[in-house]
Amino acid sequence: MNEPLRLIVNDVAIEYGARRVLAGVSFELCAGETLVVAGANGSGKSSLLRVICGLQRPARGTVVIRTNGTVLRPSEALHLLGWVAPDLYLYRELTALENLAFFAAVRGIRCTRADLEALLDRVGLGGRGDDLLAAYSSGMTQRLRYAYALLHRPRILALDEPTVTFDARGVALVEQVIARQRDHGITIIATNDPREERFGDYILRLAQ
Amino acid sequence: MDPHISPQSAIETSSTAMPSEAPLLMAAWAVFRKDVRSELRTRYALNAILLFAVSTVVAMSMGMGPLTVSRNADLPIIQAALLWVAILFAAFTGLARAFVQEEEARTAAALRLSARPTAVFLGKLLFNLALLLLLVAVTTTLFIIMLRVQAGNPGLLAALLLAGSLGLVAATTLIAAIIARASVKGALFAVLSFPLLAPLLVVAIQGSANAIAGRGWESGVGSLQVLAGYTIALFTASLFLFNSVWEP
């Protein structure tokens, strides 16, 4: 069965203690589609992305990923999910190459140092692979987050504030990543920057 | 709070093959290697447990002097108890580190998104075992030298230390994962671990006392069997429970 990839978010509610951040969000995306989740600070954009990636439990509702006739929950679909976010932290005591080699190993990806260097080159970190992350600037750290997220060619890419801390070349990188993801899978972008709404086929506006 | 979805354009769909999962043991080995590399660079757990072990044995030695001076029938059980208490308290200072570090450095999310929970558990367990075996080797060597302990059956003592270490790690690795997200980590680790470790300690101390007294292997077989059973039970329970602890 060659069913296209589908992401089904059904009635997802998010609460922090007594405070309800998100009430009953539902949508469905197919491979090739990009959704922009827009809203002010505190509207639940980042939390929604974390729920989609299986990093946070919703107060209500489900997130289901269907592919080739198989239904997977996010926690079962690690190899399909990629996540870039300001609260994604990698190992500061390791170098960029060591970080990528580690995440490749736990994901079961066979790759050489040259492969990882090529990936770093693609995100604009060519020649900086042997530097410890502790020595990276915020922009370089953000680029490495992209390398981490793209390492396994995820079919669902969740980008939270995708251009934050980026210069013009960094923004071009994000545009390139989103364009390539269209041929490959689903992209979900959480942003409060109106300029980034142009990336989406659909816009989900969250009110505070 | 009402969401609105507005279509902008139609996109063609595409499909690619699903990547396979990493073999469990290879992923666990990668977690272990990463933790060893991180530890060698930061030396957070290593410094804490070794400093604690050395200072405890030195304090015992200074406070009591060589125990062999006043040898009596109760001496082996006192020595065994002191040895295991030193190992246990030193372990409390470092064994939670593998998970606490992931939460404090906020790298746990990247790990959760990349590795299967069982691989994380096995990798962390292996790292804790390596750390504990190093601690046991250092503590026991210092203990034997500074307190002039004469281990009558060193083979049995080594077997009991190994079996006890396996049990200690099997019990504490899951607890380390539980307390990593709590605010009072250190105290909680000791409070939750101690009731689980009490039976292990009693058996390990009794067996080690027999080994120090120089009794034969037959005197330690029972202790070794209990420790092996304890380790298997705790390891199996931890393996099944870890998913619920690790997942958000």
Side-chain angles (χ1 to χ4, degrees):
Chain A
M1 185 186 285
N2 197 13
E3 183 195 9
L5 174 72
R6 299 182 88 81
L7 169 71
I8 304 152
V9 174
N10 184 32
D11 195 27
V12 164
I14 298 170
E15 292 171 1
Y16 292 103
R19 198 171 84 84
R20 174 162 287 188
V21 176
L22 213 60
V25 171
S26 300
F27 60 83
E28 194 171 325
L29 292 169
C30 288
E33 293 181 332
T34 301
L35 171 71
V36 170
V37 183
N41 292 340
S43 58
K45 305 183 297 295
S46 301
S47 300
L48 178 60
L49 259 60
R50 291 179 70 92
V51 167
I52 289 170
C53 290
L55 294 169
Q56 185 173 331
R57 206 178 285 248
R60 192 184 71 221
T62 55
V63 176
V64 171
I65 296 163
R66 287 178 64 96
T67 181
N68 297 330
T70 310
V71 175
L72 306 164
R73 291 192 175 278
S75 56
E76 299 165 327
L78 298 179
H79 48 282
L80 295 181
L81 290 157
W83 179 58
V84 175
D87 53 342
L88 167 64
Y89 289 85
L90 305 177
Y91 298 98
R92 287 171 56 81
E93 66 277 15
L94 303 184
T95 68
L97 279 169
E98 286 169 348
N99 266 286
L100 293 181
F102 165 64
F103 288 112
V106 292
R107 285 187 181 281
I109 302 168
R110 289 176 186 277
C111 56
T112 62
R113 183 184 165 94
D115 296 330
L116 298 178
E117 281 175 341
L119 179 58
L120 285 177
D121 203 36
R122 185 182 154 197
V123 298
L125 291 174
R128 303 299 299 268
D130 288 317
D131 292 359
L132 290 176
L133 246 63
Y136 269 28
S137 69
S138 56
M140 290 167 72
T141 304
Q142 179 73 345
R143 286 172 187 271
L144 189 64
R145 290 184 183 123
Y146 275 88
Y148 160 82
L150 298 173
L151 184 64
H152 56 295
R153 296 194 74 223
R155 303 215 38 215
I156 299 173
L157 187 59
L159 305 177
D160 187 1
E161 306 293 354
T163 59
V164 72
T165 74
F166 267 162
D167 54 16
R169 286 172 63 193
V171 174
L173 165 71
V174 175
E175 287 171 354
Q176 195 184 64
V177 166
I178 293 170
R180 287 177 81 157
Q181 186 69 12
R182 281 182 191 281
D183 302 330
H184 180 63
I186 292 167
T187 313
I188 306 160
I189 299 166
T191 183
N192 52 19
D193 183 346
R195 289 170 300 181
E196 290 174 0
E197 290 183 6
R198 67 194 154 95
F199 294 131
D201 306 308
Y202 305 98
I203 298 173
L204 172 64
R205 294 194 192 281
L206 302 178
Q208 202 166 16
Chain B
M1 224 178 296
D2 294 323
H4 306 287
I5 299 184
S6 54
Q8 287 187 342
S9 66
I11 306 289
E12 284 183 21
T13 60
S14 68
S15 147
T16 57
M18 222 164 74
S20 59
E21 284 186 19
L24 182 64
L25 293 181
M26 278 177 63
W29 183 247
V31 173
F32 168 72
R33 284 186 58 192
K34 185 272 294 174
D35 277 355
V36 169
R37 183 171 277 159
S38 291
E39 183 55 38
L40 289 176
R41 293 208 179 135
T42 60
R43 296 182 187 243
Y44 195 98
L46 211 55
N47 285 348
I49 62 165
L50 291 181
L51 273 173
F52 194 97
V54 171
S55 55
T56 306
V57 177
V58 169
M60 281 180 194
S61 161
M62 288 167 69
M64 295 180 293
L67 288 177
T68 45
V69 171
S70 55
R71 177 170 280 280
N72 62 53
D74 293 333
L75 193 59
I77 193 86
I78 295 169
Q79 290 173 328
L82 287 175
L83 176 61
W84 275 102
V85 166
I87 289 170
L88 182 73
F89 283 177
F92 278 163
T93 65
L95 287 191
R97 199 62 211 158
F99 282 105
V100 170
Q101 177 69 19
E102 299 281 0
E103 294 294 339
E104 285 184 351
R106 301 172 73 180
T107 49
L111 190 58
R112 278 194 185 94
L113 200 54
S114 309
R116 291 153 70 187
T118 310
V120 174
F121 174 74
L122 292 176
K124 300 283 183 190
L125 183 128
L126 206 56
F127 173 74
N128 275 350
L129 182 62
L131 205 60
L132 188 61
L133 289 178
L134 177 69
L135 162 73
V136 167
V138 171
T139 310
T140 309
T141 307
L142 283 174
F143 192 79
I144 286 173
I145 293 169
M146 299 191 73
L147 276 78
R148 294 188 204 164
V149 175
Q150 292 163 353
N153 189 343
L156 179 59
L157 182 62
L160 283 158
L161 286 169
L162 179 65
S165 300
L166 285 167
L168 215 153
V169 163
T172 53
T173 303
L174 181 72
I175 296 170
I178 293 171
I179 62 104
R181 283 187 257 179
S183 51
V184 224
K185 298 175 176 63
L188 200 57
F189 185 57
V191 166
L192 290 179
S193 299
F194 189 73
L196 262 185
L197 293 174
L200 175 139
L201 273 180
V202 171
V203 174
I205 289 170
Q206 284 173 350
S208 302
N210 287 337
I212 291 171
R215 297 192 184 101
W217 278 85
E218 66 283 354
S219 69
V221 169
S223 298
L224 286 171
Q225 283 173 336
V226 173
L227 290 175
Y230 176 94
T231 303
I232 291 166
L234 265 291
F235 176 76
T236 310
S238 299
L239 210 54
F240 280 109
L241 290 172
F242 184 73
N243 269 21
S244 341
V245 173
W246 180 243
E247 283 180 1

